[in-house]
Amino acid sequence: GTVLIASSTIDVNVSFFAEVYPVRSGLEDWLSDLGVTIEDTLVLDGQHGQYSLPVTRSIGGSRVRQTSLVNYPYIVDVRGEGLNTDSSITTKLGQVYAPWVSPITIDNSSSNNRNIIPMLLSSDDSWTSDSYDVLPDFSMYPEIGFGQSSEETKSYVLATMIEQSFDNEKNQDNLSRLIVVGSSALFTDNFADQMSQVLRSEYRRPVQLLQNLMDWSLQDQKLIEVLRKHSKFTRTLTTLNEQEKTYWEYFNYILSAIGLMLIGLVRIIMRRKSRLRGIKLLQGVSS
């Protein structure tokens, strides 16, 4: 049937400090025989999410360590062309964050009788690093806290599916499927809880992705494709750059100020009308 592996070669645990260490799942040789390699690096992406991290800042000449919400390239924001729109697994997902994810490479020469389907891809503005220093250094790299190991950026495969018949005959009805996700943290409760705090709303995209994988593995594929073609889904909001964020922030300030001035003007007018009515009443009593 279907095998799902979610594993990276570098495990990261961030609290007040960052714990980073290499991981060996024991499946490396088996995956290599199938032509699949999970690289010993992590992907950083210019299209990324935010995360609450311990950051060292200079305050009054002293270096102070504090936890702050910062832009974090190791949380890859997968959306748009990074999602396979031809797959019922990801077509309705809209967007998903992939944390501390290792790129996946596939040797196409290992077997001709198989179908390789990339499911999650980083953006073209991404690069890789084998460094275990996963905390940003804004004093050295003010923009995003990290430097690029090379000037070249490109898209990397973060999750893929391989369909292959292990029989001698090319029987399309007897395909086995291997799904490899290059992140061991994506489906954890800890990551979902952290992202829920960052977004200030319940973050369920990894759960939705996992449910899609389970449904796809256990149900009739032709029926799922029919449902996918005739279903509607909401459009995911696009990510704003810093200039756009600043524009909308000041626009909200100006709009709020105008609203307060209008409220003040209405109150002044109401007070004047009330005062005039009082004067008229007093004049009527005097006469």
Side-chain angles (χ1 to χ4, degrees), residues 49-205:
Q50 293 183 315
Y51 207 69
S52 183
L53 295 172
V55 178
T56 302
R57 300 185 184 276
S58 179
I59 301 177
S62 302
R63 295 181 66 82
V64 178
R65 195 173 187 84
Q66 59 186 16
T67 301
S68 302
L69 185 63
V70 298
N71 293 323
Y72 193 48
Y74 280 105
I75 307 294
V76 180
D77 185 355
V78 183
R79 62 174 67 217
E81 296 180 354
L83 297 172
N84 189 339
T85 56
D86 295 328
S87 172
S88 58
I89 298 173
T90 54
T91 186
K92 294 196 298 181
L93 195 60
Q95 179 272 346
V96 67
Y97 291 114
W100 303 293
V101 56
S102 298
I104 300 169
T105 57
I106 299 177
D107 182 9
N108 295 324
S109 63
S110 61
S111 177
N112 295 323
N113 183 26
R114 64 177 179 176
N115 184 26
I116 301 172
I117 307 172
M119 293 193 303
L120 302 180
L121 301 170
S122 65
S123 75
D124 293 330
D125 188 23
S126 59
W127 68 99
T128 60
S129 173
D130 59 359
S131 173
Y132 280 19
D133 188 5
V134 297
L135 294 181
D137 185 352
F138 291 104
S139 60
M140 183 173 293
Y141 309 104
E143 291 187 4
I144 58 175
F146 297 93
Q148 293 182 204
S149 56
S150 64
E151 295 183 355
E152 180 184 4
T153 59
K154 65 176 184 178
S155 177
Y156 292 90
V157 177
L158 311 180
T160 189
M161 176 174 63
I162 301 173
E163 294 181 330
Q164 181 175 354
S165 175
F166 292 95
D167 296 334
N168 293 328
E169 299 177 3
K170 296 182 180 181
N171 184 5
Q172 295 298 319
D173 294 330
N174 192 26
L175 290 176
S176 296
R177 297 175 178 89
L178 172 64
I179 301 170
V180 182
V181 181
S183 172
S184 57
L186 176 60
F187 300 121
T188 62
D189 292 338
N190 182 55
F191 175 67
D193 293 340
Q194 290 290 332
M195 290 307 299
S196 296
Q197 294 178 17
V198 170
L199 300 173
R200 297 182 180 179
S201 63
E202 189 175 13
Y203 181 65
R204 293 184 54 83
R205 293 293 169 82

